[in-house]
Amino acid sequence: GRMTEAIREDEAALHLRLNYLTARNNLGTALIAVGRVPEAIQQLQESLRQEPDNAQAHLNLGVALDILKRTPEAIPHYEEALRHDSNLAQAHNNLGDALSRTGRNTAGMVHLKEALRLKPDYVDAHYNLAAALARAGRMDEAQAQFATGLLLKPDEAEAHTNWGNVLLATGHPAEAMAEFETVLRMQPNSAASHYNYGSILASAGRL
């Protein structure tokens, strides 16, 4: 597809000019998109070796590390991205979510709110802020953020799944079950949806 073609073009550009930073950054992004994340990390690390203050390369490297569940390593790169460009909404969102998921929820919410200040229609930031608020026990505010995200991007099965998982993790199994039921109606043939719903039904007897 187009990503494979983009990878070929960027590799050709690098073959002609090894320090062509734009091509290296683009190659890293394309490799992430097609699931070749370890290769993306190598390209982005090389890009940062040549240009340590490249905000976009720090952001992309953080994304790649996060995909591999190496969130503690990703966080400093999100922070570096913002040090060089404080208006990167994606960096605020990713940093806020990473901090929230690793026990620094209050600091995470600051960055998530800043992402939404910069980009009010940022759907992922609304969902991530909803999850952070739920972790803080502020369920009414969390639900409002989740609802805003759905208004911006309706019929998002993944959002209902993620929100169901957040509700389950924060001690709201009945509400989680309702979210998984919604996903089942949207994706009746999804094995993952049936598994999630079956898991919560199995655990209900122990609540």
Side-chain angles (χ1 to χ4, degrees):
R2 290 183 178 177
M3 278 298 173
T4 302
E5 184 180 345
I7 289 170
R8 283 199 298 267
E9 291 297 325
D10 290 327
E11 287 176 335
L14 286 171
H15 181 73
L16 294 170
R17 184 179 173 189
L18 289 176
N19 65 345
Y20 190 20
L21 293 173
T22 300
R24 197 175 293 280
N25 286 337
N26 290 345
L27 177 57
T29 303
L31 288 167
I32 291 170
V34 298
R36 293 162 60 181
V37 181
E39 294 171 72
I41 289 173
Q42 291 178 347
Q43 292 296 333
L44 293 164
Q45 286 174 333
E46 177 59 24
S47 178
L48 286 170
R49 189 186 68 78
Q50 297 177 35
E51 190 180 2
D53 59 352
N54 188 307
Q56 193 62 48
H58 277 292
L59 172 57
N60 292 341
L61 181 53
V63 169
L65 291 165
D66 234 346
I67 290 170
L68 295 184
K69 312 296 185 187
R70 293 163 60 179
T71 303
E73 295 173 68
I75 287 172
H77 288 288
Y78 294 144
E79 291 172 333
E80 275 297 295
L82 290 171
R83 192 167 73 83
H84 297 296
D85 185 352
S86 61
N87 291 319
L88 278 175
Q90 186 184 354
H92 280 291
N93 172 66
N94 291 17
L95 176 58
D97 181 48
L99 290 172
S100 178
R101 286 185 286 108
T102 54
R104 287 178 277 174
N105 201 28
T106 301
M109 283 192 279
V110 171
H111 285 285
L112 291 166
K113 289 175 181 177
E114 179 63 11
L116 288 169
R117 187 190 69 80
L118 292 166
K119 189 178 178 182
D121 61 349
Y122 197 163
V123 175
D124 285 347
H126 281 291
Y127 291 148
N128 289 335
L129 182 55
L133 288 163
R135 292 183 187 107
R138 295 159 61 179
M139 295 307 299
D140 288 345
E141 295 171 76
Q143 188 67 52
Q145 285 295 330
F146 177 70
T148 300
L150 281 183
L151 283 174
L152 291 167
K153 194 174 182 181
D155 302 322
E156 179 77 359
E158 184 180 359
H160 284 285
T161 299
N162 292 342
W163 182 236
N165 288 329
V166 168
L167 289 168
L168 196 57
T170 53
H172 298 82
E175 294 89 340
M177 190 178 294
E179 294 300 326
F180 293 136
E181 287 172 348
T182 298
V183 176
L184 274 178
R185 286 194 296 271
M186 298 168 73
Q187 297 181 330
N189 298 319
S190 167
S193 299
H194 283 281
Y195 174 81
N196 286 334
Y197 189 59
S199 295
I200 196 170
L201 284 175
S203 67
R206 299 195 296 272
L207 298 175

